[in-house]
Amino acid sequence: MSKDIRIKKGLDIKLVGEAEQVTTELPLGSVFAVKPDDFHGVIPKILAKEGTEVKAGEALFHAKSDERILFSSPVSGKVTEIVRGARRKVLAIKITADAQQEYKDFGKKDVDAMSGEEVKNHLFASGCWPFVKQRPYDVVANPNQAPKAIFVSAYASAPLAADYDYALKGKEAELQAALTALTKLTTGKVHVSVAKNSTLSPFKDVKGVELHKVSGPHPSGNVSTQIAQISPINKGEVVWVVTPQDLVVIGELLLTGKFNITRTLALAGSKFNKPQYVTAKAGAQVADIVKENLDADNARVISGNVLSGVQVGEDGFLGYYDNMITAIPEGDDYEFFGWNKPIFDKISTSRALTFSWLTPKKKYDLNTNTNGEHRAFVVTGSYEEIFPLDIYPMQLLKACMYKDLDEMEGLGAYEIAPEDFALTEFICVSKQPHQKIIREGLDLMREELG
């Protein structure tokens, strides 16, 4: 049985450069990296020293807080460098890949016959546990606290986002195996959300879960938006979240015994000569993925989407959780008297500032220019117009800034992740870093309240 969820508030940002639904199989790159910063809040304890030979799926490090939570190598090869920053903080573990890949064998499993504890231990041993994240705090899930429900959002509404219906086509068996495993980890329900108008979703026939059909503007695809509609989080409650592309990794592990973190990535944005899909492993070097497809002149390359992704150079690496790379023009130009002329090439929620409301179907080639300087918050009411959660976004941002834990609790900080404030950051006339403010607020809550 499926349920409809209709989101009314939000903003769709239509950009040029949507990935064409063709997939190029890329050859395996030579250098890969796993970055502990991709797993927010995790302090790594290194297991594989420089010079260590590893198979795909063998642990590189574990979490200092819980040695059961392992983080695995995406490829087989030799650990060639452990990059450290200030105070010897581990920034990246680099692996030079073997030409012929070897996988650690974790054994095939009959998921229907497994208990919840067996599933959990299998995810620990294989390095798949980091794919399970939690609300509150948007961090790798604490395995000692049972979730009241588990959520999967198979509807991506962010600008130029990868189409899950296409990227996961043919992976129905892996998705079903992973979802069956997740049902063993909670006494509540496993909720899966898909686009309401989707007829080709690989999730349409999955069993053992509650299916929801979502419609509405971005951020209707954000899992926080769906949690708020389906099962809001109260103080003391926890829900777990898994992305569809990570379900495939878990499902393949159960069916084959291999930790195979190959993803179908979207290369999107106007700076790609041919926006399309490619196959690549998490941690791959960006240069190996974009190759000659990128128009590198004045381009910003982002691992993830334009609203919540991380800027990377061609010598950078694909984020562990990301399923797209976006390339858009760098906004390093200055418009002389830009404030004193009609604006047709930018998006705004205000009819006083631009004429984008006259052409709702137009696609824009936006750059990274913020079109203004950082300044104090201006109360305009624009955040509330596009923020679908039953939360006061301005007040919560301010509570995070002046570190009032009681107020943060009361304003609904348990339900949110930094990505939920990407849209308010995009339209912010004050040019405030909303996602950074929320991330620091959540870290403080986690540190003080546990």
Side-chain angles (χ1 to χ4, degrees):
M1 178 179 153
S2 61
K3 298 181 179 179
D4 286 357
I5 299 173
R6 186 182 174 204
I7 305 300
K8 295 181 179 178
K9 290 184 177 181
L11 176 66
D12 281 330
I13 302 169
K14 296 182 173 65
L15 302 180
V16 297
E18 185 176 346
E20 184 185 351
Q21 291 190 354
V22 295
T23 302
T24 301
E25 302 251 352
L26 296 180
L28 186 72
S30 56
V31 181
F32 289 74
V34 178
K35 299 167 291 180
D37 278 353
D38 284 348
F39 314 101
H40 190 82
V42 170
I43 299 174
K45 293 288 286 183
I46 302 296
L47 296 172
K49 311 293 185 187
E50 287 186 10
T52 304
E53 297 276 354
V54 294
K55 293 181 180 179
E58 283 193 334
L60 299 173
F61 60 93
H62 68 74
K64 185 178 180 181
S65 60
D66 191 334
E67 63 183 23
R68 297 174 299 171
I69 301 177
L70 303 176
F71 298 81
S72 296
S73 174
V75 291
S76 68
K78 180 184 284 189
V79 177
T80 48
E81 185 181 5
I82 297 177
V83 183
R84 295 183 183 269
R87 298 184 180 180
R88 293 188 55 77
K89 177 184 176 181
V90 178
L91 302 179
I93 300 172
K94 293 186 178 180
I95 306 106
T96 299
D98 294 332
Q100 194 67 35
Q101 287 292 292
E102 290 187 68
Y103 292 85
K104 183 175 179 179
D105 186 6
F106 293 100
K108 299 178 183 179
K109 299 291 181 182
D110 178 4
V111 68
D112 292 315
M114 296 174 77
S115 68
E117 200 61 31
E118 287 172 332
V119 170
K120 190 180 289 187
N121 289 334
H122 196 53
L123 296 181
F124 286 144
S126 61
C128 282
W129 187 263
F131 296 136
V132 184
K133 299 181 79 174
Q134 71 168 54
R135 300 282 195 282
Y137 312 131
D138 187 36
V139 292
V140 174
N142 177 359
N144 301 318
Q145 192 170 7
K148 71 167 184 173
I150 299 176
F151 285 82
V152 176
S153 174
Y155 171 47
S157 59
L160 301 176
D163 184 340
Y164 282 127
D165 292 358
Y166 175 77
L168 303 181
K169 186 178 179 181
K171 298 294 184 181
E172 289 82 1
E174 289 87 345
L175 294 170
Q176 182 64 72
L179 289 170
T180 301
L182 292 186
T183 63
K184 308 290 183 87
L185 299 179
T186 178
T187 55
K189 295 179 179 179
V190 175
H191 299 275
V192 177
S193 301
V194 300
K196 184 178 181 180
N197 58 0
S198 172
T199 57
L200 302 174
S201 173
F203 290 91
K204 68 180 188 303
D205 296 321
V206 293
K207 297 177 175 61
V209 304
E210 188 157 300
L211 198 66
H212 305 273
K213 295 186 176 180
V214 182
S215 60
H218 184 64
S220 57
N222 282 10
V223 72
S224 298
T225 306
Q226 297 162 15
I227 291 170
Q229 293 285 325
I230 298 165
S231 181
I233 304 170
N234 299 310
K235 185 175 181 179
E237 293 179 337
V238 170
V239 301
W240 289 351
V241 174
V242 185
T243 67
Q245 67 266 21
D246 296 336
L247 281 179
V248 172
V249 182
I250 295 171
E252 187 164 346
L253 170 78
L254 293 164
L255 295 176
T256 69
K258 292 181 179 179
F259 178 83
N260 180 11
I261 196 164
T262 301
R263 306 205 187 287
T264 299
L265 301 177
L267 303 184
S270 62
K271 278 295 184 176
F272 280 114
N273 300 318
K274 185 181 179 184
Q276 60 174 299
Y277 289 81
V278 298
T279 58
K281 289 181 181 286
Q285 192 159 29
V286 171
D288 290 333
I289 300 172
V290 300
K291 296 187 180 291
E292 284 78 37
N293 196 353
L294 178 69
D295 175 8
D297 181 37
N298 206 37
R300 178 174 295 191
V301 181
I302 301 163
S303 182
N305 68 63
V306 290
L307 292 178
S308 58
V310 175
Q311 181 180 357
V312 292
E314 285 190 66
D315 59 346
F317 297 88
L318 176 68
Y320 208 77
Y321 294 104
D322 293 332
N323 69 338
M324 71 179 300
I325 293 178
T326 313
I328 60 174
E330 189 66 71
D332 55 2
D333 58 320
Y334 178 75
E335 291 185 69
F336 191 60
F337 285 122
W339 51 272
N340 197 28
K341 63 182 182 181
I343 301 172
F344 292 94
D345 59 350
K346 295 184 178 68
I347 298 172
S348 173
T349 55
S350 170
R351 294 193 175 195
L353 297 176
T354 76
F355 291 91
S356 60
W357 55 277
L358 290 173
T359 53
K361 294 185 178 180
K362 179 180 176 180
K363 292 186 177 182
Y364 295 83
D365 187 10
L366 300 185
N367 61 33
T368 63
N369 199 323
T370 59
N371 301 298
E373 299 292 330
H374 179 94
R375 61 183 77 91
F377 273 117
V378 178
V379 180
T380 62
S382 57
Y383 303 160
E384 289 77 9
E385 291 176 7
I386 62 160
F387 197 76
L389 302 182
D390 191 18
I391 287 173
Y392 295 110
M394 172 78 81
Q395 286 83 342
L396 180 52
L397 285 162
K398 289 185 174 180
C400 289
M401 293 176 77
Y402 53 69
K403 300 179 180 180
D404 188 324
L405 292 171
D406 290 337
E407 195 166 326
M408 288 156 67
E409 272 191 325
L411 286 167
Y414 288 124
E415 291 194 23
I416 51 107
E419 69 174 9
D420 300 317
F421 282 76
L423 206 54
T424 60
E425 183 175 312
F426 174 75
I427 68 162
C428 181
V429 297
S430 305
K431 315 304 174 186
Q432 291 278 358
H434 294 202
Q435 295 177 83
K436 181 173 181 286
I437 292 167
I438 293 297
R439 180 74 272 170
E440 291 172 353
L442 293 175
D443 288 348
L444 179 66
M445 289 183 73
R446 185 171 174 235
E447 183 181 329
E448 298 292 331
L449 304 176

